[in-house]
Amino acid sequence: MVLIYVLGALSVLVPMLLVPVLATRWVPAVRASRLADRLRLAVAGLTEAFGRLGAALVVLLAGCAAVVAICWPLGELLSKLEPSLDHSVFDYVHARRVEMWADINSFITAIGDRYPLKWVTVVAAIGFAIAWRRRRWWIPLVVMPLQFVVEQYTQQILALTVNRGHPPTDLGTYPSGGCARVMLTFGTIAVLAGLTWNIPRRGRIAIATALTVLVSVEGYTRIYAERHWFTDVIGGWIFATLLLGVMVLTLLVAENRVRPPVRSADETPVAVASTT
C-alpha cells in the first residue's frame, strides 16, 4: 500500500529534480550539435522554397508522419508486455485501491480530458491573440486549436494502427491521450508565453519543470484511476514529447525564429599549427 503513495510522490519529485539538470546540461549541448545545425539548414531551405508558412506546413506534416513512424512500432513492442507487465500492475493497483485516494486521482486525471482542455485552448487562443495584436495576432488563433486537432487525430491513427486492448475498467488505449493533451495544450501555451514576454532563463526552466510534473502526475492518475494500462502511459509520454517537439518547431518556423547556423553543418574544425 505504501508503495503506491511513494510512486505518487515520485511522479512529482523526479521531474522536479531531473528537468532542471537536463535543461542546464543537455539542452545547450543539443542546440550546439551538428544535428541541430542540419535541421536549421533544412528549415532555411524549406523557407526559401515554400515561404515561411509553407515551410511550417511541411514541418508539421512531416513531423506528424515521423511521430507515427516512431510510435507505431513502439506500440507494437509495448503491446507484447501487456500480459506480463500491464496485467501485473493493474492487479496490484486494483487490489490496493482506497476509495478516497481513488476519488482524488479521478478528479485530478480529468485535467487531461478533452472537454476542459477545449476551454483552455479557446481562452488561451483569444488571450494570446490579444497579446499579439501588434504582430501576427492570427498565429495563436491557429496554433492553439491546431495542436488540439493534431493530437486527437494522430493519437487516433496510432490507436487504430496498433489496435491493442484496454483495461477492463475503461476504454483507454495506446497511447494515453490524457498525457498527450496535457503536454500539447500547456506546452504550446508555455511556448507562446515565451514568445510573448521576455521570460528569464530560470523562469523558462521553472515552466518546463511545472509542465513535466503535470504530465507525470497525469500519467500516475491515469493508472491509479484504472483508465489506462501502464504501458499506455509510457507510450503517451513518449508520443506527447515527440508531438510537442513538432508543434514547437512548426510554431518557430511560422514565426521565422529558426535561423541558419553561422557555420556550415558539414564544416569540420581545422587545426592551426602554432609556430615559435
Side-chain angles (χ1 to χ4, degrees), residues 82 86-87 90-91 94 165-172 226-229:
E82 182 182 323
D86 287 325
H87 286 273
F90 179 88
D91 292 342
H94 187 74
H166 52 77
T169 50
D170 202 270
L171 297 178
E226 298 181 344
R227 299 182 64 171
H228 275 288
W229 295 123

Side-chain angles (χ1 to χ4, degrees), residues 120-130 137 140-145 189 192:
V120 174
T121 297
V122 170
V123 171
I126 296 173
F128 280 112
I130 294 172
W137 57 269
L141 288 178
V142 173
V143 170
M144 283 306 305
I189 289 173
L192 286 171

Side-chain angles (χ1 to χ4, degrees), residues 55-69:
L57 180 60
V58 171
V59 168
L60 177 64
L61 296 176
C64 289
V67 170
V68 171

Side-chain angles (χ1 to χ4, degrees), residues 240-253:
T241 302
L242 294 174
L243 201 57
L244 178 60
V246 172
M247 287 304 305
V248 170
L249 183 57
T250 301
L251 178 56
L252 293 178
V253 173

Side-chain angles (χ1 to χ4, degrees), residues 21 67 147 160 225:
V21 174
V67 170
Q147 60 80 24
L160 292 173

Side-chain angles (χ1 to χ4, degrees), residues 1 15 24 36 39 54 71 119 124 149 178 194 199 219-220 235-236 243:
M1 177 67 68
T24 303
L39 179 61
C71 292
W119 287 106
V149 172
I199 301 175
Y220 172 84
L243 201 57

Side-chain angles (χ1 to χ4, degrees), residues 78-122:
L78 292 175
S79 295
K80 297 183 184 302
L81 299 176
E82 182 182 323
S84 58
L85 181 58
D86 287 325
H87 286 273
S88 298
V89 172
F90 179 88
D91 292 342
Y92 181 87
V93 172
H94 187 74
R96 292 162 178 82
R97 278 173 64 86
V98 176
E99 195 64 29
M100 185 179 72
W101 190 237
D103 291 342
I104 292 173
N105 278 266
S106 296
F107 175 79
I108 295 174
T109 202
I111 295 173
D113 290 347
R114 285 194 173 92
Y115 181 76
L117 289 180
K118 284 181 181 179
W119 287 106
V120 174
T121 297
V122 170

